[in-house]
Amino acid sequence: MDGGLPNFKRWNIIYPIYINSKKTIAEGRRINASKACENPTCIEIGDCCKHLKIPCAIELDKAYPRDFMQRGRVRVLLKREDGSFYNPAISSKKQLMLQVAEFVPRHPGRVKKQEPASTASAAGTSKSGKGGKKKK
């Protein structure tokens, strides 16, 4: 990988906001909202790139220029030096973003995070429903 370090600045950059379904196009989303995922992190994007066998580097200290509170970005290398793709199924940055957005909701860390939240929200709605009936 020592030969790849000088070209590191020429790698493509993917910010998590590019595939965030909660953001608008004006705020920086780059793919269709129906295909995007909810609040991805750069760690999840990096894991998805490794799963797709695409070289990547996670930069946690970098921020998105339009929203400096969004920390982290991922640098990816789509082509080898000879011009062939690392993953023949992914030939552009947009295709990579679509694939990553498809894999992020199935990320092992994400599945564990969302299960308790869904049960808590279901319990909260049932309590609020009972409270509404008492007021009538």
Side-chain angles (χ1 to χ4, degrees), residues 73-125:
R73 71 181 180 191
V74 180
R75 284 189 182 261
V76 294
L77 184 62
L78 296 177
K79 290 184 181 180
R80 293 184 177 92
E81 287 186 23
D82 64 354
S84 63
F85 293 105
Y86 279 98
N87 187 339
I90 298 172
S91 59
S92 69
K93 186 175 173 180
K94 185 151 190 156
Q95 285 179 339
L96 176 64
M97 288 189 285
L98 290 169
Q99 286 288 324
V100 168
E102 188 178 316
F103 282 126
V104 166
R106 293 183 278 182
H107 190 270
R110 178 167 284 240
V111 174
K112 292 175 186 171
K113 287 180 191 173
Q114 288 184 346
E115 284 178 10
S118 64
T119 56
S121 64
T125 55

mmCIF file of all heavy atoms in Angstrom, residues 73-125:
data_model
loop_
_atom_site.group_PDB
_atom_site.id
_atom_site.type_symbol
_atom_site.label_atom_id
_atom_site.label_comp_id
_atom_site.label_asym_id
_atom_site.label_seq_id
_atom_site.Cartn_x
_atom_site.Cartn_y
_atom_site.Cartn_z
ATOM 1 N N ARG A 73 -15.396 11.340 6.844
ATOM 2 C CA ARG A 73 -15.569 11.065 5.421
ATOM 3 C C ARG A 73 -14.774 9.824 5.070
ATOM 4 O O ARG A 73 -13.925 9.380 5.843
ATOM 5 C CB ARG A 73 -15.139 12.261 4.562
ATOM 6 C CG ARG A 73 -13.652 12.491 4.533
ATOM 7 C CD ARG A 73 -13.308 13.689 3.683
ATOM 8 N NE ARG A 73 -11.872 13.914 3.643
ATOM 9 C CZ ARG A 73 -11.309 14.994 3.147
ATOM 10 N NH1 ARG A 73 -12.056 15.959 2.668
ATOM 11 N NH2 ARG A 73 -10.011 15.124 3.126
ATOM 12 N N VAL A 74 -15.059 9.265 3.908
ATOM 13 C CA VAL A 74 -14.386 8.044 3.459
ATOM 14 C C VAL A 74 -13.783 8.318 2.089
ATOM 15 O O VAL A 74 -14.465 8.826 1.195
ATOM 16 C CB VAL A 74 -15.378 6.861 3.366
ATOM 17 C CG1 VAL A 74 -14.680 5.607 2.912
ATOM 18 C CG2 VAL A 74 -16.052 6.637 4.704
ATOM 19 N N ARG A 75 -12.507 7.986 1.932
ATOM 20 C CA ARG A 75 -11.860 8.072 0.628
ATOM 21 C C ARG A 75 -11.861 6.680 0.018
ATOM 22 O O ARG A 75 -11.530 5.710 0.703
ATOM 23 C CB ARG A 75 -10.426 8.569 0.761
ATOM 24 C CG ARG A 75 -10.327 10.052 1.015
ATOM 25 C CD ARG A 75 -8.878 10.490 0.920
ATOM 26 N NE ARG A 75 -8.725 11.882 1.205
ATOM 27 C CZ ARG A 75 -8.606 12.829 0.271
ATOM 28 N NH1 ARG A 75 -8.640 12.514 -0.991
ATOM 29 N NH2 ARG A 75 -8.458 14.084 0.610
ATOM 30 N N VAL A 76 -12.242 6.577 -1.250
ATOM 31 C CA VAL A 76 -12.303 5.276 -1.923
ATOM 32 C C VAL A 76 -11.519 5.340 -3.230
ATOM 33 O O VAL A 76 -11.407 6.389 -3.859
ATOM 34 C CB VAL A 76 -13.758 4.849 -2.213
ATOM 35 C CG1 VAL A 76 -14.505 4.597 -0.930
ATOM 36 C CG2 VAL A 76 -14.484 5.867 -3.052
ATOM 37 N N LEU A 77 -10.980 4.194 -3.618
ATOM 38 C CA LEU A 77 -10.256 4.068 -4.875
ATOM 39 C C LEU A 77 -11.004 3.073 -5.743
ATOM 40 O O LEU A 77 -11.054 1.887 -5.427
ATOM 41 C CB LEU A 77 -8.822 3.589 -4.612
ATOM 42 C CG LEU A 77 -7.903 3.508 -5.817
ATOM 43 C CD1 LEU A 77 -7.717 4.892 -6.437
ATOM 44 C CD2 LEU A 77 -6.553 2.945 -5.414
ATOM 45 N N LEU A 78 -11.610 3.570 -6.808
ATOM 46 C CA LEU A 78 -12.434 2.715 -7.668
ATOM 47 C C LEU A 78 -11.618 1.974 -8.720
ATOM 48 O O LEU A 78 -11.950 0.851 -9.083
ATOM 49 C CB LEU A 78 -13.520 3.551 -8.352
ATOM 50 C CG LEU A 78 -14.551 4.188 -7.432
ATOM 51 C CD1 LEU A 78 -15.505 5.046 -8.233
ATOM 52 C CD2 LEU A 78 -15.301 3.129 -6.661
ATOM 53 N N LYS A 79 -10.535 2.613 -9.228
ATOM 54 C CA LYS A 79 -9.748 2.021 -10.314
ATOM 55 C C LYS A 79 -8.330 1.709 -9.874
ATOM 56 O O LYS A 79 -7.752 2.429 -9.058
ATOM 57 C CB LYS A 79 -9.672 2.982 -11.499
ATOM 58 C CG LYS A 79 -10.953 3.181 -12.242
ATOM 59 C CD LYS A 79 -10.703 4.077 -13.439
ATOM 60 C CE LYS A 79 -11.964 4.331 -14.223
ATOM 61 N NZ LYS A 79 -11.706 5.194 -15.377
ATOM 62 N N ARG A 80 -7.778 0.662 -10.454
ATOM 63 C CA ARG A 80 -6.357 0.358 -10.284
ATOM 64 C C ARG A 80 -5.555 1.304 -11.179
ATOM 65 O O ARG A 80 -6.119 2.039 -11.985
ATOM 66 C CB ARG A 80 -6.079 -1.096 -10.682
ATOM 67 C CG ARG A 80 -6.711 -2.100 -9.770
ATOM 68 C CD ARG A 80 -6.287 -3.514 -10.185
ATOM 69 N NE ARG A 80 -6.826 -4.486 -9.261
ATOM 70 C CZ ARG A 80 -7.989 -5.109 -9.419
ATOM 71 N NH1 ARG A 80 -8.721 -4.878 -10.490
ATOM 72 N NH2 ARG A 80 -8.411 -5.977 -8.522
ATOM 73 N N GLU A 81 -4.218 1.242 -11.069
ATOM 74 C CA GLU A 81 -3.382 2.118 -11.890
ATOM 75 C C GLU A 81 -3.487 1.768 -13.374
ATOM 76 O O GLU A 81 -3.312 2.627 -14.228
ATOM 77 C CB GLU A 81 -1.934 2.048 -11.425
ATOM 78 C CG GLU A 81 -1.723 2.764 -10.103
ATOM 79 C CD GLU A 81 -0.260 2.831 -9.717
ATOM 80 O OE1 GLU A 81 0.602 2.741 -10.601
ATOM 81 O OE2 GLU A 81 -0.001 2.967 -8.521
ATOM 82 N N ASP A 82 -3.782 0.499 -13.680
ATOM 83 C CA ASP A 82 -3.898 0.106 -15.088
ATOM 84 C C ASP A 82 -5.271 0.451 -15.681
ATOM 85 O O ASP A 82 -5.524 0.213 -16.848
ATOM 86 C CB ASP A 82 -3.597 -1.383 -15.268
ATOM 87 C CG ASP A 82 -4.594 -2.290 -14.564
ATOM 88 O OD1 ASP A 82 -5.468 -1.768 -13.836
ATOM 89 O OD2 ASP A 82 -4.502 -3.522 -14.735
ATOM 90 N N GLY A 83 -6.180 1.011 -14.881
ATOM 91 C CA GLY A 83 -7.477 1.445 -15.375
ATOM 92 C C GLY A 83 -8.604 0.463 -15.135
ATOM 93 O O GLY A 83 -9.765 0.787 -15.364
ATOM 94 N N SER A 84 -8.304 -0.739 -14.651
ATOM 95 C CA SER A 84 -9.368 -1.716 -14.373
ATOM 96 C C SER A 84 -9.991 -1.417 -13.014
ATOM 97 O O SER A 84 -9.343 -0.845 -12.131
ATOM 98 C CB SER A 84 -8.809 -3.137 -14.406
ATOM 99 O OG SER A 84 -7.837 -3.302 -13.389
ATOM 100 N N PHE A 85 -11.243 -1.813 -12.850
ATOM 101 C CA PHE A 85 -11.961 -1.532 -11.611
ATOM 102 C C PHE A 85 -11.666 -2.603 -10.557
ATOM 103 O O PHE A 85 -11.516 -3.776 -10.882
ATOM 104 C CB PHE A 85 -13.472 -1.479 -11.877
ATOM 105 C CG PHE A 85 -13.876 -0.328 -12.733
ATOM 106 C CD1 PHE A 85 -14.212 -0.519 -14.065
ATOM 107 C CD2 PHE A 85 -13.904 0.957 -12.229
ATOM 108 C CE1 PHE A 85 -14.575 0.550 -14.874
ATOM 109 C CE2 PHE A 85 -14.268 2.029 -13.028
ATOM 110 C CZ PHE A 85 -14.588 1.826 -14.350
ATOM 111 N N TYR A 86 -11.630 -2.189 -9.285
ATOM 112 C CA TYR A 86 -11.453 -3.158 -8.199
ATOM 113 C C TYR A 86 -12.655 -4.081 -8.113
ATOM 114 O O TYR A 86 -12.519 -5.261 -7.879
ATOM 115 C CB TYR A 86 -11.242 -2.430 -6.859
ATOM 116 C CG TYR A 86 -9.829 -1.957 -6.665
ATOM 117 C CD1 TYR A 86 -9.480 -0.638 -6.934
ATOM 118 C CD2 TYR A 86 -8.843 -2.829 -6.234
ATOM 119 C CE1 TYR A 86 -8.183 -0.211 -6.767
ATOM 120 C CE2 TYR A 86 -7.544 -2.404 -6.060
ATOM 121 C CZ TYR A 86 -7.218 -1.086 -6.326
ATOM 122 O OH TYR A 86 -5.923 -0.671 -6.170
ATOM 123 N N ASN A 87 -13.844 -3.523 -8.281
ATOM 124 C CA ASN A 87 -15.069 -4.314 -8.318
ATOM 125 C C ASN A 87 -15.733 -4.016 -9.667
ATOM 126 O O ASN A 87 -16.220 -2.915 -9.881
ATOM 127 C CB ASN A 87 -15.989 -3.933 -7.161
ATOM 128 C CG ASN A 87 -17.186 -4.833 -7.044
ATOM 129 O OD1 ASN A 87 -17.578 -5.497 -8.001
ATOM 130 N ND2 ASN A 87 -17.782 -4.860 -5.863
ATOM 131 N N PRO A 88 -15.772 -4.999 -10.585
ATOM 132 C CA PRO A 88 -16.327 -4.733 -11.917
ATOM 133 C C PRO A 88 -17.792 -4.288 -11.903
ATOM 134 O O PRO A 88 -18.242 -3.618 -12.819
ATOM 135 C CB PRO A 88 -16.191 -6.075 -12.638
ATOM 136 C CG PRO A 88 -15.215 -6.864 -11.852
ATOM 137 C CD PRO A 88 -15.257 -6.342 -10.459
ATOM 138 N N ALA A 89 -18.531 -4.629 -10.850
ATOM 139 C CA ALA A 89 -19.943 -4.234 -10.774
ATOM 140 C C ALA A 89 -20.100 -2.752 -10.453
ATOM 141 O O ALA A 89 -21.168 -2.186 -10.662
ATOM 142 C CB ALA A 89 -20.661 -5.071 -9.722
ATOM 143 N N ILE A 90 -19.053 -2.116 -9.949
ATOM 144 C CA ILE A 90 -19.119 -0.705 -9.552
ATOM 145 C C ILE A 90 -18.128 0.075 -10.409
ATOM 146 O O ILE A 90 -16.921 -0.030 -10.217
ATOM 147 C CB ILE A 90 -18.815 -0.539 -8.055
ATOM 148 C CG1 ILE A 90 -19.866 -1.282 -7.255
ATOM 149 C CG2 ILE A 90 -18.771 0.923 -7.675
ATOM 150 C CD1 ILE A 90 -19.583 -1.359 -5.791
ATOM 151 N N SER A 91 -18.665 0.863 -11.334
ATOM 152 C CA SER A 91 -17.795 1.588 -12.251
ATOM 153 C C SER A 91 -17.878 3.104 -12.066
ATOM 154 O O SER A 91 -17.234 3.835 -12.797
ATOM 155 C CB SER A 91 -18.151 1.232 -13.695
ATOM 156 O OG SER A 91 -19.497 1.555 -13.954
ATOM 157 N N SER A 92 -18.677 3.579 -11.115
ATOM 158 C CA SER A 92 -18.753 5.020 -10.873
ATOM 159 C C SER A 92 -19.006 5.284 -9.386
ATOM 160 O O SER A 92 -19.418 4.398 -8.638
ATOM 161 C CB SER A 92 -19.874 5.650 -11.701
ATOM 162 O OG SER A 92 -21.130 5.238 -11.223
ATOM 163 N N LYS A 93 -18.786 6.519 -9.007
ATOM 164 C CA LYS A 93 -19.001 6.920 -7.622
ATOM 165 C C LYS A 93 -20.479 6.811 -7.250
ATOM 166 O O LYS A 93 -20.829 6.413 -6.139
ATOM 167 C CB LYS A 93 -18.500 8.351 -7.460
ATOM 168 C CG LYS A 93 -18.498 8.889 -6.063
ATOM 169 C CD LYS A 93 -17.852 10.265 -6.070
ATOM 170 C CE LYS A 93 -17.961 10.946 -4.751
ATOM 171 N NZ LYS A 93 -17.340 12.274 -4.762
ATOM 172 N N LYS A 94 -21.360 7.139 -8.189
ATOM 173 C CA LYS A 94 -22.803 7.067 -7.918
ATOM 174 C C LYS A 94 -23.242 5.623 -7.695
ATOM 175 O O LYS A 94 -24.043 5.346 -6.790
ATOM 176 C CB LYS A 94 -23.581 7.692 -9.073
ATOM 177 C CG LYS A 94 -25.058 7.747 -8.798
ATOM 178 C CD LYS A 94 -25.686 8.902 -9.499
ATOM 179 C CE LYS A 94 -27.103 9.058 -9.011
ATOM 180 N NZ LYS A 94 -27.602 10.372 -9.181
ATOM 181 N N GLN A 95 -22.726 4.681 -8.487
ATOM 182 C CA GLN A 95 -23.056 3.274 -8.287
ATOM 183 C C GLN A 95 -22.566 2.795 -6.924
ATOM 184 O O GLN A 95 -23.246 2.030 -6.251
ATOM 185 C CB GLN A 95 -22.436 2.409 -9.385
ATOM 186 C CG GLN A 95 -23.136 2.517 -10.708
ATOM 187 C CD GLN A 95 -22.474 1.658 -11.767
ATOM 188 O OE1 GLN A 95 -21.309 1.287 -11.649
ATOM 189 N NE2 GLN A 95 -23.230 1.352 -12.813
ATOM 190 N N LEU A 96 -21.381 3.271 -6.521
ATOM 191 C CA LEU A 96 -20.866 2.905 -5.208
ATOM 192 C C LEU A 96 -21.770 3.441 -4.105
ATOM 193 O O LEU A 96 -22.095 2.723 -3.156
ATOM 194 C CB LEU A 96 -19.445 3.431 -5.020
ATOM 195 C CG LEU A 96 -18.835 3.197 -3.646
ATOM 196 C CD1 LEU A 96 -18.684 1.710 -3.367
ATOM 197 C CD2 LEU A 96 -17.497 3.893 -3.526
ATOM 198 N N MET A 97 -22.223 4.681 -4.224
ATOM 199 C CA MET A 97 -23.102 5.261 -3.201
ATOM 200 C C MET A 97 -24.415 4.481 -3.112
ATOM 201 O O MET A 97 -24.920 4.254 -2.012
ATOM 202 C CB MET A 97 -23.369 6.736 -3.491
ATOM 203 C CG MET A 97 -22.179 7.621 -3.227
ATOM 204 S SD MET A 97 -22.541 9.377 -3.306
ATOM 205 C CE MET A 97 -22.682 9.629 -5.066
ATOM 206 N N LEU A 98 -24.960 4.067 -4.241
ATOM 207 C CA LEU A 98 -26.200 3.285 -4.236
ATOM 208 C C LEU A 98 -25.992 1.928 -3.567
ATOM 209 O O LEU A 98 -26.834 1.475 -2.787
ATOM 210 C CB LEU A 98 -26.721 3.108 -5.661
ATOM 211 C CG LEU A 98 -27.266 4.375 -6.329
ATOM 212 C CD1 LEU A 98 -27.487 4.146 -7.814
ATOM 213 C CD2 LEU A 98 -28.537 4.830 -5.660
ATOM 214 N N GLN A 99 -24.867 1.259 -3.852
ATOM 215 C CA GLN A 99 -24.577 -0.038 -3.238
ATOM 216 C C GLN A 99 -24.374 0.110 -1.726
ATOM 217 O O GLN A 99 -24.887 -0.681 -0.944
ATOM 218 C CB GLN A 99 -23.313 -0.651 -3.859
ATOM 219 C CG GLN A 99 -23.506 -1.188 -5.243
ATOM 220 C CD GLN A 99 -24.320 -2.473 -5.232
ATOM 221 O OE1 GLN A 99 -24.202 -3.290 -4.336
ATOM 222 N NE2 GLN A 99 -25.146 -2.635 -6.242
ATOM 223 N N VAL A 100 -23.629 1.127 -1.333
ATOM 224 C CA VAL A 100 -23.366 1.351 0.090
ATOM 225 C C VAL A 100 -24.668 1.663 0.821
ATOM 226 O O VAL A 100 -24.922 1.156 1.913
ATOM 227 C CB VAL A 100 -22.323 2.474 0.278
ATOM 228 C CG1 VAL A 100 -22.243 2.920 1.725
ATOM 229 C CG2 VAL A 100 -20.955 1.999 -0.189
ATOM 230 N N ALA A 101 -25.528 2.493 0.223
ATOM 231 C CA ALA A 101 -26.811 2.831 0.845
ATOM 232 C C ALA A 101 -27.684 1.597 1.004
ATOM 233 O O ALA A 101 -28.494 1.516 1.924
ATOM 234 C CB ALA A 101 -27.534 3.883 0.018
ATOM 235 N N GLU A 102 -27.514 0.626 0.136
ATOM 236 C CA GLU A 102 -28.273 -0.622 0.238
ATOM 237 C C GLU A 102 -27.739 -1.514 1.362
ATOM 238 O O GLU A 102 -28.504 -2.185 2.053
ATOM 239 C CB GLU A 102 -28.173 -1.362 -1.101
ATOM 240 C CG GLU A 102 -29.058 -2.564 -1.225
ATOM 241 C CD GLU A 102 -28.933 -3.204 -2.597
ATOM 242 O OE1 GLU A 102 -28.913 -2.473 -3.597
ATOM 243 O OE2 GLU A 102 -28.838 -4.440 -2.644
ATOM 244 N N PHE A 103 -26.416 -1.479 1.588
ATOM 245 C CA PHE A 103 -25.796 -2.338 2.598
ATOM 246 C C PHE A 103 -25.837 -1.764 4.013
ATOM 247 O O PHE A 103 -25.854 -2.512 4.985
ATOM 248 C CB PHE A 103 -24.331 -2.632 2.240
ATOM 249 C CG PHE A 103 -24.165 -3.673 1.178
ATOM 250 C CD1 PHE A 103 -23.426 -3.414 0.043
ATOM 251 C CD2 PHE A 103 -24.740 -4.927 1.320
ATOM 252 C CE1 PHE A 103 -23.266 -4.367 -0.939
ATOM 253 C CE2 PHE A 103 -24.589 -5.889 0.346
ATOM 254 C CZ PHE A 103 -23.850 -5.611 -0.792
ATOM 255 N N VAL A 104 -25.823 -0.434 4.157
ATOM 256 C CA VAL A 104 -25.732 0.180 5.491
ATOM 257 C C VAL A 104 -26.869 -0.246 6.427
ATOM 258 O O VAL A 104 -26.609 -0.564 7.586
ATOM 259 C CB VAL A 104 -25.618 1.716 5.382
ATOM 260 C CG1 VAL A 104 -25.867 2.388 6.717
ATOM 261 C CG2 VAL A 104 -24.244 2.095 4.873
ATOM 262 N N PRO A 105 -28.141 -0.298 5.999
ATOM 263 C CA PRO A 105 -29.188 -0.718 6.945
ATOM 264 C C PRO A 105 -28.995 -2.146 7.465
ATOM 265 O O PRO A 105 -29.481 -2.479 8.531
ATOM 266 C CB PRO A 105 -30.476 -0.621 6.121
ATOM 267 C CG PRO A 105 -30.174 0.360 5.066
ATOM 268 C CD PRO A 105 -28.723 0.181 4.740
ATOM 269 N N ARG A 106 -28.254 -2.981 6.726
ATOM 270 C CA ARG A 106 -28.012 -4.355 7.161
ATOM 271 C C ARG A 106 -26.700 -4.503 7.924
ATOM 272 O O ARG A 106 -26.281 -5.607 8.224
ATOM 273 C CB ARG A 106 -27.996 -5.276 5.937
ATOM 274 C CG ARG A 106 -29.374 -5.368 5.285
ATOM 275 C CD ARG A 106 -29.349 -6.312 4.151
ATOM 276 N NE ARG A 106 -28.819 -5.619 2.976
ATOM 277 C CZ ARG A 106 -28.700 -6.159 1.777
ATOM 278 N NH1 ARG A 106 -29.040 -7.390 1.586
ATOM 279 N NH2 ARG A 106 -28.217 -5.456 0.774
ATOM 280 N N HIS A 107 -26.044 -3.390 8.224
ATOM 281 C CA HIS A 107 -24.769 -3.407 8.952
ATOM 282 C C HIS A 107 -24.983 -4.019 10.334
ATOM 283 O O HIS A 107 -25.964 -3.698 11.007
ATOM 284 C CB HIS A 107 -24.240 -1.979 9.067
ATOM 285 C CG HIS A 107 -22.849 -1.890 9.583
ATOM 286 N ND1 HIS A 107 -22.581 -1.787 10.917
ATOM 287 C CD2 HIS A 107 -21.655 -1.909 8.950
ATOM 288 C CE1 HIS A 107 -21.266 -1.725 11.088
ATOM 289 N NE2 HIS A 107 -20.689 -1.795 9.892
ATOM 290 N N PRO A 108 -24.090 -4.902 10.797
ATOM 291 C CA PRO A 108 -24.293 -5.576 12.095
ATOM 292 C C PRO A 108 -24.460 -4.615 13.273
ATOM 293 O O PRO A 108 -25.295 -4.843 14.145
ATOM 294 C CB PRO A 108 -23.032 -6.416 12.276
ATOM 295 C CG PRO A 108 -22.366 -6.455 10.961
ATOM 296 C CD PRO A 108 -22.902 -5.361 10.110
ATOM 297 N N GLY A 109 -23.721 -3.537 13.321
ATOM 298 C CA GLY A 109 -23.853 -2.574 14.410
ATOM 299 C C GLY A 109 -25.169 -1.826 14.370
ATOM 300 O O GLY A 109 -25.740 -1.465 15.396
ATOM 301 N N ARG A 110 -25.684 -1.585 13.187
ATOM 302 C CA ARG A 110 -26.922 -0.832 13.027
ATOM 303 C C ARG A 110 -28.132 -1.661 13.433
ATOM 304 O O ARG A 110 -29.063 -1.144 14.028
ATOM 305 C CB ARG A 110 -27.063 -0.394 11.570
ATOM 306 C CG ARG A 110 -28.322 0.344 11.288
ATOM 307 C CD ARG A 110 -28.241 0.997 9.957
ATOM 308 N NE ARG A 110 -27.394 2.161 10.054
ATOM 309 C CZ ARG A 110 -27.796 3.388 9.794
ATOM 310 N NH1 ARG A 110 -29.006 3.613 9.408
ATOM 311 N NH2 ARG A 110 -26.980 4.394 9.920
ATOM 312 N N VAL A 111 -28.146 -2.934 13.130
ATOM 313 C CA VAL A 111 -29.295 -3.787 13.460
ATOM 314 C C VAL A 111 -29.504 -3.818 14.972
ATOM 315 O O VAL A 111 -30.620 -3.713 15.457
ATOM 316 C CB VAL A 111 -29.082 -5.215 12.896
ATOM 317 C CG1 VAL A 111 -30.171 -6.141 13.355
ATOM 318 C CG2 VAL A 111 -29.020 -5.176 11.382
ATOM 319 N N LYS A 112 -28.420 -3.901 15.724
ATOM 320 C CA LYS A 112 -28.527 -3.938 17.186
ATOM 321 C C LYS A 112 -29.016 -2.608 17.744
ATOM 322 O O LYS A 112 -29.752 -2.571 18.701
ATOM 323 C CB LYS A 112 -27.166 -4.275 17.795
ATOM 324 C CG LYS A 112 -26.717 -5.684 17.494
ATOM 325 C CD LYS A 112 -25.334 -5.934 18.007
ATOM 326 C CE LYS A 112 -24.832 -7.293 17.577
ATOM 327 N NZ LYS A 112 -23.433 -7.485 17.877
ATOM 328 N N LYS A 113 -28.609 -1.501 17.116
ATOM 329 C CA LYS A 113 -29.007 -0.175 17.600
ATOM 330 C C LYS A 113 -30.499 0.071 17.408
ATOM 331 O O LYS A 113 -31.145 0.643 18.251
ATOM 332 C CB LYS A 113 -28.242 0.915 16.847
ATOM 333 C CG LYS A 113 -26.807 1.054 17.221
ATOM 334 C CD LYS A 113 -26.198 2.167 16.404
ATOM 335 C CE LYS A 113 -24.690 2.203 16.523
ATOM 336 N NZ LYS A 113 -24.105 3.174 15.617
ATOM 337 N N GLN A 114 -31.057 -0.356 16.298
ATOM 338 C CA GLN A 114 -32.430 0.009 15.974
ATOM 339 C C GLN A 114 -33.461 -0.865 16.669
ATOM 340 O O GLN A 114 -34.586 -0.457 16.833
ATOM 341 C CB GLN A 114 -32.642 -0.058 14.460
ATOM 342 C CG GLN A 114 -31.952 1.081 13.743
ATOM 343 C CD GLN A 114 -32.245 1.075 12.264
ATOM 344 O OE1 GLN A 114 -32.744 0.102 11.723
ATOM 345 N NE2 GLN A 114 -31.924 2.163 11.601
ATOM 346 N N GLU A 115 -33.137 -2.093 17.078
ATOM 347 C CA GLU A 115 -34.125 -2.954 17.732
ATOM 348 C C GLU A 115 -34.655 -2.356 19.035
ATOM 349 O O GLU A 115 -35.856 -2.258 19.205
ATOM 350 C CB GLU A 115 -33.532 -4.344 17.970
ATOM 351 C CG GLU A 115 -33.468 -5.169 16.694
ATOM 352 C CD GLU A 115 -32.837 -6.515 16.926
ATOM 353 O OE1 GLU A 115 -32.622 -6.872 18.097
ATOM 354 O OE2 GLU A 115 -32.566 -7.198 15.948
ATOM 355 N N PRO A 116 -33.788 -1.903 19.983
ATOM 356 C CA PRO A 116 -34.334 -1.317 21.206
ATOM 357 C C PRO A 116 -35.125 -0.038 20.942
ATOM 358 O O PRO A 116 -36.116 0.224 21.590
ATOM 359 C CB PRO A 116 -33.092 -1.006 22.047
ATOM 360 C CG PRO A 116 -32.009 -1.855 21.488
ATOM 361 C CD PRO A 116 -32.349 -2.049 20.042
ATOM 362 N N ALA A 117 -34.730 0.735 19.965
ATOM 363 C CA ALA A 117 -35.432 1.984 19.667
ATOM 364 C C ALA A 117 -36.847 1.694 19.166
ATOM 365 O O ALA A 117 -37.791 2.379 19.521
ATOM 366 C CB ALA A 117 -34.657 2.788 18.631
ATOM 367 N N SER A 118 -37.008 0.660 18.353
ATOM 368 C CA SER A 118 -38.337 0.361 17.812
ATOM 369 C C SER A 118 -39.262 -0.172 18.909
ATOM 370 O O SER A 118 -40.434 0.149 18.931
ATOM 371 C CB SER A 118 -38.233 -0.640 16.658
ATOM 372 O OG SER A 118 -37.727 -1.874 17.127
ATOM 373 N N THR A 119 -38.737 -0.970 19.841
ATOM 374 C CA THR A 119 -39.588 -1.475 20.918
ATOM 375 C C THR A 119 -39.957 -0.347 21.880
ATOM 376 O O THR A 119 -41.070 -0.296 22.369
ATOM 377 C CB THR A 119 -38.894 -2.617 21.696
ATOM 378 O OG1 THR A 119 -37.635 -2.141 22.179
ATOM 379 C CG2 THR A 119 -38.683 -3.827 20.807
ATOM 380 N N ALA A 120 -39.032 0.572 22.121
ATOM 381 C CA ALA A 120 -39.323 1.685 23.021
ATOM 382 C C ALA A 120 -40.362 2.616 22.400
ATOM 383 O O ALA A 120 -41.245 3.113 23.085
ATOM 384 C CB ALA A 120 -38.043 2.457 23.335
ATOM 385 N N SER A 121 -40.252 2.856 21.089
ATOM 386 C CA SER A 121 -41.225 3.745 20.455
ATOM 387 C C SER A 121 -42.615 3.092 20.418
ATOM 388 O O SER A 121 -43.620 3.769 20.549
ATOM 389 C CB SER A 121 -40.772 4.117 19.048
ATOM 390 O OG SER A 121 -40.736 2.969 18.223
ATOM 391 N N ALA A 122 -42.664 1.776 20.249
ATOM 392 C CA ALA A 122 -43.956 1.088 20.237
ATOM 393 C C ALA A 122 -44.608 1.170 21.627
ATOM 394 O O ALA A 122 -45.818 1.379 21.744
ATOM 395 C CB ALA A 122 -43.775 -0.369 19.825
ATOM 396 N N ALA A 123 -43.798 1.025 22.673
ATOM 397 C CA ALA A 123 -44.332 1.118 24.030
ATOM 398 C C ALA A 123 -44.793 2.552 24.323
ATOM 399 O O ALA A 123 -45.807 2.768 24.971
ATOM 400 C CB ALA A 123 -43.271 0.702 25.048
ATOM 401 N N GLY A 124 -44.043 3.543 23.794
ATOM 402 C CA GLY A 124 -44.409 4.940 24.020
ATOM 403 C C GLY A 124 -45.724 5.299 23.350
ATOM 404 O O GLY A 124 -46.522 6.039 23.899
ATOM 405 N N THR A 125 -45.993 4.759 22.171
ATOM 406 C CA THR A 125 -47.232 5.091 21.484
ATOM 407 C C THR A 125 -48.432 4.463 22.170
ATOM 408 O O THR A 125 -49.492 5.040 22.223
ATOM 409 C CB THR A 125 -47.191 4.648 20.009
ATOM 410 O OG1 THR A 125 -46.879 3.257 19.967
ATOM 411 C CG2 THR A 125 -46.165 5.442 19.225
#
